[in-house]
Amino acid sequence: MKQAIVIGGGLGGLAAAITLQHRGLQVTILEKNSHFGGKLMPVQLGSHYFDFGPNTITMPHIFKRVIEQTGERAEDYFELQRLSVHTRNIFSDGSHFDFTSSREDMLRQLAGCDPFAAKSYDAFLQEVQRLYELSEAHFLPRLFTSWRDYLSPSLGKALLQVRPLQSLDAFFRKYFRNENLLQAMNRYATYIGSSPYAAPATFAMIAHLELSEGVYYVKGGNARIAAAYAEVARKLGADLRPDTEVRSVLTENGQATGVVTADGETLRADVVVMNADLLRAYPELVEEEYRPHFSNAKAAGYEPSISAFVVLAGLKIRNEGLLHHNVFFSDDYQREFTELFANGGYAEHPTIYVCNSSYTDPSVSPDGDNLFILVNAPSTKKRQVHGQAEQYKEHIYDILESKGIRIREHLVTEKIIAPPDIESMFGAHKGALYGISSNKRANAFLRPFNRSQDIRNLYFVGGTTHPGGGSPMVTISGLNVGEAIAGKIF
Ligand SMILES: Cc1cc2nc3c(=O)[nH]c(=O)nc-3n(C[C@H](O)[C@H](O)[C@H](O)COP(=O)(O)OP(=O)(O)OC[C@H]3O[C@@H](n4cnc5c(N)ncnc54)[C@H](O)[C@@H]3O)c2cc1C
């Protein structure tokens, strides 16, 4: 039986492992943390449960596919619930707009605040659907293993059709006039850790996923997806080893032959899949002389996606004004992105996202709100801004309380997770949430390949490689790489 080692048990690694084990390889997953799921991490603080990481789940069929490919039913492992109103967008003038996948509800709200958009909404939905369908057909199922993969004529044609040269902001301005709404639409850029004023309009396909296909939540917490994957992988016979950090990848004659763990154990394998963020792990685990196509300078040249400043706050009350997903927008979105990307500092007037999953599922936090409060934050490239966690948290509480969200006097428990924590907990390059930013077109479309150019049988899955960051995308990368390896070996 061929042996495969997967370094890292994030969603990408788990999806690859299940695919490989199901297709007849013997898989060992080595994960440095004690939980599987990587950034999709369950956090329990007293009676308050939080999902750290992906709170907004789209593309449910992808998460189900990982299990269904083995012949099992995903429903037997986790229950996905579609949210009727998914995001309440609250603007600096006090008004709000609820995003929902009900076209009628969207049109009714648009008629009140943006009659132009009400007229163009159907055309908008059609165009974002077209963008998504092109990506689904030409980019998402494709493995990128070398430059040759970019030369496919069908891919080239599709690339020209997905608005690669237009910014997201310019695209949304064709359909919406109301500045508040534009801000809410532009926030989709943050789903790929990028700026709407720089990232290509291709990513407007995210609007299709949310506004037409819907936003989902997993009953009991989204981390149940990762727990289910770990259970399925074990059931299939994979060896899952938590608390096991890999220190180096072994190579012989230009081929990956195994790994050495932090405890000094050597494990041999026919193929190695790296799910650990490749911008950090590839340089750390493979000496530079063995990877001439991916020098340390090249790794350092990629712009990291944005990071996050997160506060988990458990309350003893339920705030009436909060839905499941809530966004409190700043009054100047453009300045916020300049502060994040150009200046590398925390935004002074940040947009604040608050997830309160106990709105949908009180069982995860029976005694009061479980607020996952997230503010976009710069990567850790510029370290000096990251020493002010307590003050920044207080600043965020001040803003939320000024908007009527009661926190301090009802606080039972809290925890701050800042960019340096994300960097160290998950081995994330510069604390990036989504690997590389898509602010430069080259980075959006020409990400590091799914296979090493220098070391045979060394593959990459996860947010930094193709097709990109975000929980469904990394899961797709695991499925694609697993299929490709299994297809090559058998
Ligand atoms: C705060 C936050 C909010 C987010 N919100 C959303 C959202 O709402 N929706 C969405 O779709 N996505 C969201 N994301 C992004 C999403 O979480 C990621 O894109 C995705 O989970 C990344 O999966 P991955 O498999 O690429 O990597 P990871 O989850 O980072 O997994 C990599 C694993 O490798 C392990 N590892 C690293 N180095 C080693 C080593 N040397 N040896 C062994 N193991 C190692 C790490 O511990 C980790 O478990 C969010 C992320 C964060 C942090």
Side-chain angles (χ1 to χ4, degrees):
M1 208 174 189
K2 297 276 185 196
Q3 305 282 326
I5 286 177
V6 178
I7 306 171
L11 287 171
L14 289 166
I18 290 174
T19 309
L20 289 169
Q21 186 73 34
H22 171 61
R23 296 285 301 269
L25 284 85
Q26 178 56 51
V27 178
T28 303
I29 311 181
L30 306 171
E31 165 55 53
K32 80 179 183 72
N33 289 325
S34 50
H35 75 281
F36 286 90
K39 297 184 186 96
L40 176 48
M41 177 175 74
V43 179
Q44 189 75 46
L45 301 178
S47 66
H48 295 82
Y49 168 86
F50 304 84
D51 279 313
F52 180 77
N55 274 281
T56 302
I57 296 291
T58 54
M59 303 180 82
H61 59 286
I62 297 297
F63 297 107
K64 286 161 69 174
R65 189 187 299 163
V66 176
I67 293 179
E68 286 168 354
Q69 65 171 333
T70 71
E72 292 224 56
R73 282 160 30 104
E75 291 77 9
D76 292 340
Y77 289 89
F78 50 78
E79 189 185 327
L80 284 151
Q81 278 177 261
R82 186 173 174 149
L83 305 182
S84 48
V85 171
H86 38 81
T87 310
R88 170 154 292 178
N89 299 287
I90 303 119
F91 305 106
S92 58
D93 60 10
S95 65
H96 74 259
F97 192 103
D98 289 343
F99 276 176
T100 154
S101 46
S102 155
R103 174 180 165 273
E104 291 66 36
D105 282 351
M106 288 293 283
L107 286 175
R108 185 182 44 74
Q109 294 179 84
L110 288 172
C113 67
D114 192 338
F116 175 85
K119 280 202 203 92
S120 54
Y121 191 62
D122 284 338
F124 169 73
L125 287 184
Q126 270 174 25
E127 179 57 7
V128 292
Q129 179 171 355
R130 186 187 71 82
L131 292 173
Y132 173 70
E133 285 172 354
L134 276 167
S135 295
E136 192 187 32
H138 297 282
F139 305 113
L140 303 188
R142 190 181 284 265
L143 200 71
F144 289 86
T145 57
S146 75
W147 286 106
R148 268 196 296 275
D149 292 309
Y150 288 116
L151 302 178
S152 136
S154 65
L155 180 69
K157 194 166 159 219
L159 244 178
L160 294 175
Q161 292 173 349
V162 292
R163 300 180 176 273
L165 301 178
Q166 190 176 34
S167 74
L168 269 172
D169 179 63
F171 172 76
F172 290 131
R173 281 182 191 279
K174 282 183 56 174
Y175 299 96
F176 301 91
R177 291 282 183 268
N178 179 307
E179 285 298 327
N180 286 342
L181 262 174
L182 281 161
Q183 219 178 352
M185 288 290 165
N186 273 337
R187 185 174 159 266
Y188 286 133
T190 65
Y191 286 30
I192 47 162
S194 305
S195 162
Y197 309 101
T202 317
F203 294 104
M205 69 173 178
I206 298 168
H208 167 72
L209 294 174
E210 280 211 3
L211 299 173
S212 292
E213 302 206 346
V215 169
Y216 291 78
Y217 166 74
V218 178
K219 203 155 186 289
N222 292 338
R224 291 213 170 174
I225 296 175
Y229 287 177
E231 190 182 337
V232 170
R234 281 199 184 97
K235 219 162 137 183
L236 289 169
D239 181 9
L240 273 69
R241 301 195 195 176
D243 304 307
T244 307
E245 184 168 352
V246 173
R247 278 287 159 78
S248 66
V249 173
L250 296 172
T251 60
E252 278 166 37
N253 302 323
Q255 175 157 336
T257 54
V259 301
V260 180
T261 68
D263 293 339
E265 189 184 355
T266 298
L267 292 121
R268 296 273 163 196
D270 300 288
V271 57
V272 174
V273 178
M274 195 181 278
N275 173 220
D277 188 339
L278 82 90
L279 288 184
R280 164 131 177 227
Y282 195 18
E284 277 185 8
L285 305 185
V286 178
E287 286 191 29
E288 196 171 16
E289 64 181 288
Y290 298 122
R291 45 179 170 82
H293 286 88
F294 207 83
S295 63
N296 291 352
K298 178 167 179 172
Y302 287 101
E303 181 184 47
S305 83
I306 46 177
S307 188
F309 182 89
V310 175
V311 184
L312 307 176
L315 309 186
K316 58 176 183 272
I317 53 139
R318 298 210 184 273
N319 273 288
E320 287 302 320
L322 289 176
L323 304 186
H324 190 133
H325 299 288
N326 313 269
V327 185
F328 295 88
F329 281 94
S330 66
D331 57 355
D332 188 343
Y333 216 28
Q334 197 145 10
R335 184 179 61 198
E336 202 176 326
F337 285 95
T338 307
E339 284 171 332
L340 289 172
F341 282 106
N343 306 346
Y346 285 146
E348 199 187 329
H349 302 284
T351 290
I352 305 173
Y353 162 75
V354 180
C355 176
N356 184 24
S357 62
S358 64
Y359 172 85
T360 304
D361 186 359
S363 73
V364 292
S365 184
D367 301 325
D369 289 340
N370 59 341
L371 307 184
F372 167 94
I373 303 170
L374 179 148
V375 169
N376 295 323
S379 68
T380 58
K381 249 175 144 176
K382 296 195 178 161
R383 283 209 168 263
Q384 68 275 14
V385 299
H386 293 289
Q388 319 142 355
E390 272 299 317
Q391 295 106 294
Y392 201 52
K393 179 205 76 184
E394 294 297 334
H395 180 53
I396 291 167
Y397 284 174
D398 284 344
I399 298 174
L400 287 174
E401 291 190 342
S402 75
K403 306 214 181 255
I405 307 305
R406 296 172 298 158
I407 299 181
R408 287 186 181 97
E409 59 180 309
H410 306 289
L411 196 62
V412 180
T413 182
E414 70 175 359
K415 184 182 172 80
I416 297 175
I417 301 178
D421 305 318
I422 294 173
E423 182 173 18
S424 63
M425 278 198 286
F426 310 108
H429 177 67
K430 308 285 180 207
L433 305 191
Y434 302 95
I436 300 170
S437 92
S438 294
N439 288 343
K440 294 184 191 139
R441 269 139 201 91
N443 285 352
F445 300 110
L446 311 177
R447 302 172 86 80
F449 298 122
N450 295 104
R451 191 178 69 192
S452 165
Q453 301 301 283
D454 299 302
I455 300 167
R456 286 192 307 288
N457 292 355
L458 175 60
Y459 289 82
F460 303 106
V461 300
T464 300
T465 179
H466 286 278
S471 55
M473 294 297 138
V474 306
T475 305
I476 291 173
S477 82
L479 288 165
N480 288 349
V481 165
E483 279 298 324
I485 295 171
K488 205 174 131 199
I489 287 178
F490 295 102

